[in-house]
């Protein structure tokens, strides 16, 4: 039984590799760009899923962590010529701290009020980045000027970024797998399913959520640095907009909440399609890809609220069971 | 929000639609925005009914995240549909009375803004009367207090939800045309308003009309004062901060009844 489930997971991972491999081989910049976005978003929605999926705490302010990461590393690089690797660590640590504090303050709120509070928090960070001109350059944004090389985390080939994003995604998936089978993860699920019961048997669900909020913020900020190094330019609208805060949960929900592979699956389902649509339709139909996002989200929520990935594994499991019983 | 225990993240987009409706009515048929209110209200009411029936109803009684993200998805769709159909340009209408002012001694007040203020107070009072003195209003209050008991008393809660939701959007049908003479309309305008509305509702105490009105005035004062003393760009940050603080320390709202906790 367990072997079969693992077997199916292997099948799906193999399928994903099958999808990734050809594009890894093709050196086309356009596809490399799409692949980078897909892997980065797989990782980012995965970090959102740590809190949203496992603990059922639906943050709508994750763009704030992403932006803190992107801004910290970029500003340190442009101001102090600090290598983005250390900048990434600094940004992620700062973000983790903010995540812990925000968690400690907001985790007493339930349901949509937590979402509203994090939404407001995201807007506060956005406004600060926009109006604290002396540090962040305001709406002009920050240009990252660095000569290519490992120490600068800047590369001529887009494939280098793809590999970085792949590593990033794998780390996030690894953390999710860890949550799947650790006390911490069980505490989160216990909170999601029944907080009173969990606390009654002595589980400190509050502490567990605060810790994971820190981890989630840390990883999200690392993604922000990656994005900034890839784009060479950031401004409040590109790294702190509400759209980012919505897209991360969107991908996770479509893929499947509360598992390690759901967000990855969701990202591979949505990102390539919308990115290509965006490129093909061009500016004449700006916004169409977002309409499709919205429609997919609503359809999935109303028809398969548990997400596509869990549904698919369930289906595969049933089919293999049927085949086995036939034999 | 208080009644249905639902946060409609697309609320701002309905305001956007209402603004566009009065804009196009003016542009094509030269209908004065103060007249087009009469057309936009039923339009928005109908839109609210349909949304409730097809998108909100299926999410009731399911986990919290479903309605949050269904309405968020709706908001994304409406925003980008507006972008696709009507482009991202800022649009406004030219009416002679937009800059008209009334003078009281040394104070001069913009007439359109004064009208908005009067209408808002009137509508708030009417809603207050409706909730307290009509059968439907009482049914809405009963449902917000306890859904199951209300149902046991023979209240059709589906109908209550539908009316409540549609009333909410109908109010936006009043707001849109009134705001049109003094505001621009563009696809993402709703977001600016909806967050302030959430702040006001939570600060005022959920489900309390009086609280929401008082809280809105407080927000207005805070916004103006902080814009005066601090960087004007920071004024929004101030009341978002206030919002988080109220949610945490006084979840029943500043003007809300005790015991009704978020």
């Amino acid at each position: 039984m367990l072997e079969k489930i693992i077997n199916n997971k292997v099948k799906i991972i193999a399928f994903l590799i099958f999808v990734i491999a050809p594009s890894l081989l093709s050196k086309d910049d356009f596809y490399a760009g799409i692949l980078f976005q897909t892997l980065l978003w797989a990782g980012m929605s995965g970090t959102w899923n740590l809190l949203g999926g496992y603990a059922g705490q639906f943050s709508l302010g994750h763009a704030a962590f992403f932006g803190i990461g992107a801004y910290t590393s970029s500003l340190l690089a442009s101001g102090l010529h600090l290598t983005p690797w250390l900048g990434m660590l600094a940004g992620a640590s700062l973000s983790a701290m903010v995540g812990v504090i925000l968690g400690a303050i907001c985790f007493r709120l339930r349901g949509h009020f937590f979402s509203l509070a994090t939404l407001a928090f995201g807007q506060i960070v956005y406004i600060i980045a926009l109006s604290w001109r002396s540090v962040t350059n305001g709406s002009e944004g920050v240009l990252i000027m660095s000569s290519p090389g490992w120490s600068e985390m800047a590369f001529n080939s887009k494939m280098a970024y793809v590999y970085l994003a792949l590593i990033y995604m794998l780390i996030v998936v690894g953390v999710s797998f860890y949550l799947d089978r650790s006390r911490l993860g069980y505490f989160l699920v216990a909170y999601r399913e029944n907080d009173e019961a969990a606390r009654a048997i002595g589980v400190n669900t509050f502490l567990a959520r605060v810790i994971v909020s820190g981890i989630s913020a840390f990883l999200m900020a690392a993604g922000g640095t990656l994005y900034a190094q890839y784009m060479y330019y950031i401004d409040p609208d590109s790294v702190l907009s509400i759209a980012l805060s919505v897209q991360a949960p969107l991908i996770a929900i479509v893929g499947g909440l509360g598992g390690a592979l759901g967000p990855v699956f969701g990202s591979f389902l949505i990102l390539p399609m919308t990115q290509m649509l965006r490129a093909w339709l061009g500016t004449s139909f700006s916004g169409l890809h977002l309409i499709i996002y919205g429609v997919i989200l609503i359809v999935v929520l109303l028809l398969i609220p548990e997400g596509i990935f869990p549904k698919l594994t369930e289906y595969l499991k049933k089919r293999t069971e049927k085949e086995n019983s036939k034999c | 929000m208080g009644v249905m225990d639902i946060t409609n993240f697309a609320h701002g987009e309905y305001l956007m639609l209402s603004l566009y409706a009065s804009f196009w009515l003016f542009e094509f048929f030269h209908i004065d925005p103060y007249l087009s209110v009469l057309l936009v209200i039923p339009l928005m009411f109908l839109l609210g009914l349909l949304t409730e029936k097809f998108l909100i109803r299926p999410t009731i009684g399911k986990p919290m995240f479903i309605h949050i993200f269904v309405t968020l998805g709706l908001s994304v769709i409406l925003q980008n549909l507006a972008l696709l159909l009507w482009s991202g340009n800022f649009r406004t209408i030219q009416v002679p009375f937009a800059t008209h002012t009334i003078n009281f001694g040394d104070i001069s007040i913009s007439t359109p803004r004064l009208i908005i203020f009067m209408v808002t107070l009137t509508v708030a009072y009417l809603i207050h009367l409706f909730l307290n003195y009509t059968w439907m209003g009482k049914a809405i209050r009963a449902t917000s207090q306890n859904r199951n008991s209300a149902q046991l008393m023979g209240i059709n809660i589906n109908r209550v939800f539908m009316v409540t939701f549609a009333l909410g959007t109908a109010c936006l049908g009043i707001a849109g045309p009134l705001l049109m003479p003094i505001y621009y309309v563009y696809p993402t305008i709703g977001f600016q308003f909806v967050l302030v509305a959430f702040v006001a509702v939570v600060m005022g105490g959920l489900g309390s009309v009086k609280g929401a009105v008082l809280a809105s005035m407080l927000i207005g004062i805070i916004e103006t004062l902080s814009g005066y003393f601090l960087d004007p760009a920071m004024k929004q940050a101030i009341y978002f901060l206030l919002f988080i603080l109220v949610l945490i320390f006084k979840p029943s709202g500043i003007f809300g009844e005790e015991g009704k906790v978020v």
Side-chain angles (χ1 to χ4, degrees):
Chain A
M1 177 74 183
L2 190 70
E3 273 175 358
K4 267 172 210 151
I5 296 169
I6 293 169
N7 192 19
N8 280 322
K9 282 202 171 154
V10 169
K11 263 186 206 165
I12 286 157
I13 293 171
F15 169 75
L16 286 180
I17 291 170
F18 183 71
V19 176
I20 300 171
S23 31
L24 279 179
L25 293 174
S26 83
K27 299 284 181 200
D28 194 317
D29 264 5
F30 175 66
Y31 292 107
I34 289 178
L35 193 57
F36 171 80
Q37 295 274 357
T38 309
L39 291 167
L40 184 70
W41 274 105
M44 276 158 53
S45 62
T47 55
W48 180 89
N49 184 43
L50 297 179
L51 207 56
Y54 288 90
Q57 295 254 276
F58 299 101
S59 154
L60 288 178
H62 258 55
F65 304 128
F66 185 73
I68 288 173
Y71 264 100
T72 311
S73 68
S74 308
L75 291 174
L76 285 177
S78 68
L80 304 170
H81 300 290
L82 190 72
T83 160
W85 296 101
L86 284 177
M88 182 191 251
L89 199 65
S93 311
L94 177 69
S95 167
M97 242 157 35
V98 174
V100 166
I101 295 169
L102 181 75
I105 295 173
C106 292
F107 277 148
R108 56 187 82 192
L109 299 172
R110 280 207 159 254
H112 42 172
F113 295 102
F114 176 78
S115 305
L116 283 174
T118 49
L119 187 71
F121 166 73
Q123 278 311 99
I124 292 175
V125 175
Y126 172 79
I127 293 165
I128 291 174
L130 206 59
S131 51
W132 196 10
R133 289 183 173 277
S134 55
V135 174
T136 62
N137 260 353
S139 53
E140 283 160 38
V142 183
L143 203 60
I144 295 154
M145 284 185 286
S146 46
S147 46
W150 266 105
S151 62
E152 299 280 337
M153 208 201 276
F155 311 96
N156 284 327
S157 149
K158 281 199 174 178
M159 287 316 290
Y161 291 106
V162 171
Y163 285 113
L164 278 182
L166 183 64
I167 294 168
Y168 173 65
M169 184 194 88
L170 289 176
I171 292 173
V172 174
V173 170
V175 172
S176 308
F177 270 130
Y178 168 74
L179 279 190
D180 269 342
R181 56 205 62 194
S182 69
R183 285 172 72 87
L184 191 60
Y186 286 128
F187 284 0
L188 294 181
V189 175
Y191 168 79
R192 184 185 71 198
E193 296 302 331
N194 193 335
D195 186 32
E196 280 83 16
R199 278 191 316 207
I201 55 168
V203 174
N204 190 342
T205 53
F206 186 77
L207 185 68
R209 281 177 294 150
V210 168
I211 292 171
V212 174
S213 173
I215 297 174
S216 176
F218 185 93
L219 289 170
M220 193 74 184
T225 303
L226 266 185
Y227 178 82
Q229 291 302 121
Y230 172 78
M231 297 301 281
Y232 287 106
Y233 170 74
I234 53 169
D235 66 356
D237 278 313
S238 69
V239 297
L240 281 165
S241 79
I242 198 89
L244 291 170
S245 291
V246 176
Q247 195 171 350
L250 187 154
I251 292 168
I253 288 171
V254 170
L257 287 175
L261 294 176
V264 177
F265 191 78
S267 182
F268 273 90
L269 206 63
I270 292 175
L271 257 283
M273 179 178 65
T274 48
Q275 290 277 330
M276 284 191 198
L277 260 183
R278 207 172 164 179
W280 286 335
L281 297 174
T283 47
S284 53
F285 290 105
S286 56
L288 188 62
H289 71 286
L290 288 171
I291 296 177
I292 293 170
Y293 266 162
V295 171
I296 294 176
L297 178 68
I298 291 181
V299 168
V300 168
L301 277 171
L302 293 183
L303 298 181
I304 16 177
E306 69 268 46
I308 293 176
F309 182 73
K311 198 80 178 173
L312 196 68
T313 39
E314 198 185 315
Y315 170 74
L316 286 174
K317 203 173 81 185
K318 268 189 192 153
R319 220 183 58 175
T320 42
E321 267 170 12
K322 256 187 201 164
E323 276 170 13
N324 287 351
S325 61
K326 267 181 202 165
C327 296
Chain B
M1 191 155 102
V3 175
M4 299 173 69
D5 203 22
I6 289 267
T7 307
N8 179 13
F9 283 95
H11 206 62
E13 276 56 49
Y14 283 94
L15 177 65
M16 182 263 295
L17 289 179
S18 160
L19 279 162
Y20 269 114
S22 67
F23 173 80
W24 290 116
L25 282 173
F26 182 81
E27 202 73 344
F28 284 138
F29 306 109
H30 301 285
I31 301 176
D32 191 283
Y34 292 127
L35 272 178
S36 67
V37 169
L38 299 174
L39 283 168
V40 179
I41 292 174
L43 215 63
M44 294 304 293
F45 188 81
L46 196 69
L47 201 63
L49 285 183
L50 292 176
T51 315
E52 203 281 336
K53 188 156 174 56
F54 292 110
L55 290 176
I56 309 294
R57 179 86 48 86
T59 71
I60 287 173
K62 291 205 181 141
M64 191 60 93
F65 76 91
I66 294 191
H67 91 253
I68 296 179
F69 287 101
V70 164
T71 54
L72 265 176
L74 185 64
S75 141
V76 171
I77 292 173
L78 291 177
Q79 254 180 40
N80 289 287
L81 209 57
L83 183 68
L84 199 64
L85 294 176
W86 304 315
S87 86
N89 293 342
F90 282 44
R91 296 170 190 267
T92 188
I93 55 175
Q94 297 298 331
V95 278
F97 51 81
T99 51
H100 190 269
T101 54
I102 297 175
N103 293 310
F104 294 108
D106 291 341
I107 312 162
S108 68
I109 298 170
S110 144
T111 314
R113 283 171 197 271
L114 189 67
I115 292 174
I116 292 173
F117 183 72
M118 305 302 269
V119 172
T120 309
L121 283 188
T122 316
V123 170
Y125 188 65
L126 287 177
I127 293 176
H128 175 78
L129 290 181
F130 170 74
L131 286 178
N132 284 297
Y133 298 106
T134 64
W135 190 88
M136 195 63 198
K138 285 176 187 168
I140 289 174
R141 273 168 51 227
T143 310
S144 94
Q145 276 171 11
N146 192 326
R147 207 173 283 181
N148 294 333
S149 312
Q151 210 162 10
L152 284 173
M153 295 301 129
I155 293 170
N156 181 350
I157 62 164
N158 279 336
R159 191 129 147 249
V160 167
F161 284 156
M162 219 162 157
V163 170
T164 314
F165 194 87
L167 269 183
T169 52
C171 285
L172 296 176
I174 305 173
L178 290 183
L179 285 171
M180 201 55 230
I182 52 167
Y183 268 96
Y184 297 99
V185 56
Y186 49 95
T188 52
I189 190 171
F191 188 69
Q192 290 204 353
F193 285 94
V194 73
L195 275 178
V196 187
F198 285 154
V199 177
V201 167
V202 171
M203 264 171 70
L206 287 179
S208 156
V209 180
K210 198 173 72 181
V213 172
L214 290 174
S216 310
M217 290 183 185
L218 188 67
I219 291 170
I221 294 167
I222 292 169
E223 194 171 340
T224 318
L225 284 184
S226 59
Y228 185 73
F229 290 111
L230 295 163
D231 184 346
M234 293 298 282
K235 63 186 183 186
Q236 271 196 315
I238 301 290
Y239 62 69
F240 285 140
L241 201 63
L242 199 73
F243 175 54
I244 297 180
L245 292 177
V246 169
L247 269 178
I248 290 154
F249 295 109
K250 193 89 174 54
S252 56
I254 295 178
F255 307 103
E257 319 151 31
E258 284 299 325
K260 214 179 181 187
V261 181
V262 167

